[in-house]
Amino acid sequence: MGRVYNFSAGPAVLPEEVLKEAAAEMLDYNGTGMSVMEMSHRSKAYQEIIDTAEADLRELMNIPDNYKVLFLQGGASQQFAMIPMNLMKNKKADYIVTGQWAKKAYQEAKLFGDARAVASSEDKTYSYIPDCSDLDISEDADYVYICENNTIYGTKYKTLPNTKGKTLVADVSSCFLSEPVDVTKYGVIYGGVQKNIGPAGVVIVIIREDLITEDVLPGTPTMLRYKTHADNGSMYNTPPAYGIYICGKVFKWIKKMGGLQKMKELNEKKAKILYDYLDQSKLFKGTVVAKDRSLMNVPFVTGSEELDAKFVKEAKAAGFENLKGHRTVGGMRASIYNAMPIEGVEALVQFMKKFEEENA
């Protein structure tokens, strides 16, 4: 059948040349006579893989020297607990709830201290980002938490919240490396890699060094302390070695493509093709307030559940995979991460036009 256009929200499309390179190295990585899957994480060859991956990520994101880069496991969801366990010194944190993942993080934090939702967009099915310019931030909040790009609902913060001097913690799982970022604005910036960077099983945490301390909540397991991983170069235990290797290849691919500024331009171009069509379509409409639209995840509906189902079915038959929306929103969702070629978005819009003519 050949390659389809895969619009999955994650695990998601990866650059074809990265997959081909990994395939070519599957049996013999770099003259070692073995696959990266089979290699000791304590070997010289593997140490070079993880060191190069970190160096390339630092270069891409312009990560300052006083931030550690950790390659961890447990996905973004494990960070929902790790963050309060490590950062909640005053047992207080403020959360901005703009979707299911921010809400889950907020509920998890309540297990460890006084977590407050200082703003939310739940009243309108998370279809917008609340005004965060003057929030009621607690005097003694340990941090302010956001999910920067909301995969399910297709919203994205265009301006970071005013945290009134408090540490900003951001889950960037679905917008990781999609545009330039000023790391210094965050205390912790983290994300699961399975949307925009690599295969599921790795979460990357970029954390300012002063936030990595022995002073964690009582009962915090060794494996859930940032210090454990920072002190051991992400090798306290066996890391998700093969996943990190693929992430490293994707970092190289992004560098080759021209870095994060170039990615942003490409992503804006791709998203514009789809949003422009949605804005003039009589059948399909986007579900997000225009100013808060994500470049990565584009949810849309016809207004009829039967037509939505028909569209998803016919799209699949035409080689457009994983367009069904999340069950909480219904309709459709096209995730158009870095690795989705512009041709994929153009082909999708052509298909939508044809569908609209036939079903108007």
Side-chain angles (χ1 to χ4, degrees):
M1 135 153 219
R3 298 277 290 168
V4 295
Y5 286 122
N6 177 11
F7 292 93
S8 170
V13 59
L14 284 165
E16 203 162 308
E17 65 185 78
V18 165
L19 297 175
K20 285 180 174 156
E21 223 175 86
E25 292 172 350
M26 181 54 86
L27 296 176
D28 177 7
Y29 172 73
N30 209 12
T32 58
M34 58 182 129
S35 174
V36 174
M37 280 190 195
E38 308 169 290
M39 192 179 280
S40 163
H41 62 296
R42 301 288 176 204
S43 65
K44 196 165 163 284
Y46 191 73
Q47 190 65 53
E48 197 181 316
I49 288 171
I50 194 168
D51 289 347
T52 305
E54 178 177 337
D56 285 337
L57 181 62
R58 282 186 175 278
E59 187 186 325
L60 277 171
M61 291 179 75
N62 200 9
I63 299 171
D65 290 343
N66 66 323
Y67 283 74
K68 290 273 193 221
V69 173
L70 309 175
F71 294 97
L72 307 179
Q73 297 171 77
S77 297
Q78 186 159 289
Q79 293 304 308
F80 299 168
M82 244 175 124
I83 286 157
M85 283 174 158
N86 286 268
L87 303 189
M88 253 195 187
K89 319 289 186 202
N90 300 319
K91 295 272 192 106
K92 282 218 170 139
D94 289 345
Y95 280 67
I96 301 168
V97 180
T98 50
Q100 188 168 312
W101 301 113
K103 188 176 182 178
K104 284 187 170 169
Y106 161 60
Q107 287 166 334
E108 192 76 357
K110 285 197 212 176
L111 300 174
F112 302 100
D114 177 18
R116 293 193 317 150
V118 288
S120 168
S121 53
E122 194 167 6
D123 61 331
K124 292 184 178 159
T125 330
Y126 303 121
S127 57
Y128 69 103
I129 298 287
D131 175 7
C132 300
S133 57
D134 186 20
L135 297 171
D136 172 30
I137 305 292
S138 315
E139 285 285 304
D140 51 355
D142 293 302
Y143 59 88
V144 177
Y145 182 101
I146 62 169
C147 179
E148 199 163 316
N149 186 88
N150 298 282
T151 326
I152 295 175
Y153 304 96
T155 58
K156 162 85 164 68
Y157 286 79
K158 302 295 162 74
T159 313
L160 292 174
N162 173 5
T163 65
K164 316 236 166 128
K166 304 298 176 198
T167 298
L168 178 64
V169 175
D171 173 354
V172 296
S173 295
S174 51
C175 58
F176 226 155
L177 301 185
S178 63
E179 57 182 31
V181 58
D182 180 357
V183 175
T184 64
K185 290 184 172 167
Y186 307 82
V188 181
I189 180 169
Y190 80 91
V193 303
Q194 72 279 8
K195 298 170 185 298
N196 219 13
I197 303 174
V202 184
V203 58
I204 297 173
V205 176
I206 300 159
I207 177 168
R208 211 172 56 227
E209 282 175 347
D210 61 286
L211 298 171
I212 304 171
T213 64
E214 299 277 8
D215 176 23
V216 295
L217 294 187
T220 299
T222 306
M223 276 293 286
L224 296 185
R225 298 169 185 228
Y226 289 125
K227 195 165 186 348
T228 302
H229 302 286
D231 288 352
N232 291 282
S234 300
M235 296 257 205
Y236 175 75
N237 68 325
T238 311
Y242 195 80
I244 294 167
Y245 153 78
I246 300 287
C247 292
K249 287 202 176 299
V250 172
F251 302 153
K252 289 255 184 264
W253 175 78
I254 296 174
K255 277 171 70 173
K256 193 175 118 186
M257 295 283 283
L260 298 190
Q261 188 52 45
K262 190 74 187 136
M263 279 293 139
K264 181 179 192 221
E265 288 160 23
L266 276 169
N267 288 328
E268 283 175 342
K269 204 169 158 184
K270 286 190 301 196
K272 188 178 187 322
I273 294 168
L274 190 44
Y275 285 125
D276 282 356
Y277 168 66
L278 287 173
D279 286 343
Q280 61 82 48
S281 170
K282 301 267 192 292
L283 179 63
F284 298 102
K285 66 171 196 302
T287 56
V288 172
V289 170
K291 70 176 176 51
D292 298 327
R293 284 170 167 173
S294 165
L295 295 179
M296 297 284 101
N297 314 100
V298 184
F300 57 96
V301 293
T302 63
S304 146
E305 277 184 31
E306 289 94 296
L307 263 186
D308 286 354
K310 184 181 183 204
F311 175 80
V312 170
K313 189 176 169 212
E314 289 182 10
K316 184 180 170 70
F320 302 98
E321 284 282 349
N322 295 309
L323 281 166
K324 191 177 192 307
H326 192 274
R327 60 186 180 277
T328 55
V329 184
M332 285 69 67
R333 170 181 52 178
S335 292
I336 49 177
Y337 299 122
N338 287 350
M340 171 57 67
I342 197 160
E343 298 78 27
V345 182
E346 288 168 342
L348 175 63
V349 168
Q350 286 315 116
F351 179 79
M352 289 168 76
K353 283 180 176 163
K354 181 169 156 283
F355 185 88
E356 180 165 358
E357 280 162 21
E358 290 166 5
N359 295 275

